Protein backbone atom coordinates (compact mmCIF):
# COMPACT_ATOMS: atom_id res chain seq x y z
CA UNK A 1 0.00 0.00 0.00
CA UNK A 2 1.32 3.44 -0.95
CA UNK A 3 1.25 6.18 1.65
CA UNK A 4 -0.01 9.44 0.19
CA UNK A 5 1.07 12.79 1.49
CA UNK A 6 -1.58 15.38 2.27
CA UNK A 7 -0.74 18.99 1.57
CA UNK A 8 -2.91 21.58 3.26
CA UNK A 9 -4.04 24.66 1.41
CA UNK A 10 -3.52 27.36 4.06
CA UNK A 11 -5.12 30.08 1.95
CA UNK A 12 -8.16 27.85 1.45
CA UNK A 13 -8.50 27.15 5.17
CA UNK A 14 -8.21 30.86 5.94
CA UNK A 15 -10.84 31.68 3.33
CA UNK A 16 -13.28 29.22 4.89
CA UNK A 17 -12.57 30.34 8.47
CA UNK A 18 -13.03 34.00 7.47
CA UNK A 19 -16.15 33.45 5.35
CA UNK A 20 -19.53 34.99 6.03
CA UNK A 21 -20.84 31.45 6.50
CA UNK A 22 -18.39 30.80 9.32
CA UNK A 23 -19.31 34.10 10.96
CA UNK A 24 -23.02 33.31 10.59
CA UNK A 25 -22.57 29.84 12.08
CA UNK A 26 -20.61 31.02 15.12
CA UNK A 27 -23.01 33.95 15.65
CA UNK A 28 -26.02 31.64 15.48
CA UNK A 29 -24.51 29.24 18.00
CA UNK A 30 -23.59 32.10 20.35
CA UNK A 31 -27.14 33.53 20.19
CA UNK A 32 -28.61 30.12 21.08
CA UNK A 33 -26.23 29.74 24.03
CA UNK A 34 -27.00 33.28 25.25
CA UNK A 35 -30.72 32.54 25.02
CA UNK A 36 -30.37 29.33 27.02
CA UNK A 37 -28.19 31.09 29.63
CA UNK A 38 -30.99 33.55 30.39
CA UNK A 39 -31.44 37.28 30.83
CA UNK A 40 -28.33 39.40 31.00
CA UNK A 41 -26.24 37.33 28.58
CA UNK A 42 -25.38 38.70 25.16
CA UNK A 43 -23.78 37.20 22.05
CA UNK A 44 -21.15 39.23 20.20
CA UNK A 45 -19.47 38.29 16.93
CA UNK A 46 -16.55 39.68 14.98
CA UNK A 47 -14.08 38.80 12.26
CA UNK A 48 -10.55 38.34 13.56
CA UNK A 49 -7.33 38.27 11.58
CA UNK A 50 -7.53 34.50 11.09
CA UNK A 51 -11.13 33.47 11.68
CA UNK A 52 -14.66 34.39 12.60
CA UNK A 53 -15.35 34.39 16.31
CA UNK A 54 -18.27 34.78 18.65
CA UNK A 55 -18.50 35.10 22.41
CA UNK A 56 -21.26 35.15 25.00
CA UNK A 57 -20.79 37.62 27.82
CA UNK A 58 -22.65 38.51 30.99
CA UNK A 59 -23.85 42.11 30.64
CA UNK A 60 -25.60 42.55 33.99
CA UNK A 61 -24.55 42.02 37.56
CA UNK A 62 -27.25 39.36 37.96
CA UNK A 63 -25.90 37.44 34.98
CA UNK A 64 -22.35 37.67 36.36
CA UNK A 65 -23.56 36.24 39.67
CA UNK A 66 -25.50 33.49 37.84
CA UNK A 67 -22.33 32.53 35.99
CA UNK A 68 -20.14 32.67 39.10
CA UNK A 69 -22.50 30.72 41.37
CA UNK A 70 -24.53 28.52 39.04
CA UNK A 71 -22.29 28.24 35.94
CA UNK A 72 -25.12 29.49 33.72
CA UNK A 73 -22.96 29.57 30.58
CA UNK A 74 -21.52 26.13 31.17
CA UNK A 75 -25.02 24.74 31.53
CA UNK A 76 -26.21 26.63 28.44
CA UNK A 77 -23.28 25.33 26.42
CA UNK A 78 -24.34 21.78 27.20
CA UNK A 79 -27.87 22.55 26.09
CA UNK A 80 -29.38 21.74 29.45
Amino acid sequence: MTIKRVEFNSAGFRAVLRSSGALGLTASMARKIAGRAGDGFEARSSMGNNRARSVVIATTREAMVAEAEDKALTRALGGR
Side-chain angles (χ1 to χ4, degrees), residues 28-44:
S28 173
M29 293 173 72
R31 284 192 302 272
K32 289 177 185 176
I33 292 166
R36 287 194 303 256
D39 292 336
F41 290 94
E42 179 180 304
R44 295 184 183 174

Side-chain angles (χ1 to χ4, degrees), residues 1-2 8 24 26-27 32-34 40 45 50-51 54 57-58 63-64 67 69 74 76-77:
M1 177 168 40
T2 305
F8 292 108
T26 61
K32 289 177 185 176
I33 292 166
S45 300
N50 297 314
R51 67 192 64 184
S54 297
I57 61 168
M64 290 177 199
E67 172 57 15
E69 293 179 355
T74 302
L77 185 61

Side-chain angles (χ1 to χ4, degrees), residues 49-73:
N49 290 332
N50 297 314
R51 67 192 64 184
R53 60 177 156 225
S54 297
V55 297
V56 178
I57 61 168
T59 57
T60 64
R61 176 142 178 81
E62 293 80 12
M64 290 177 199
V65 170
E67 172 57 15
E69 293 179 355
D70 302 325
K71 305 294 183 229
L73 285 174

Side-chain angles (χ1 to χ4, degrees), residues 6-24:
V6 175
E7 291 186 29
F8 292 108
N9 180 337
S10 296
F13 279 123
R14 180 172 284 196
V16 170
L17 291 172
R18 289 185 51 82
S19 69
S20 60
L23 184 61

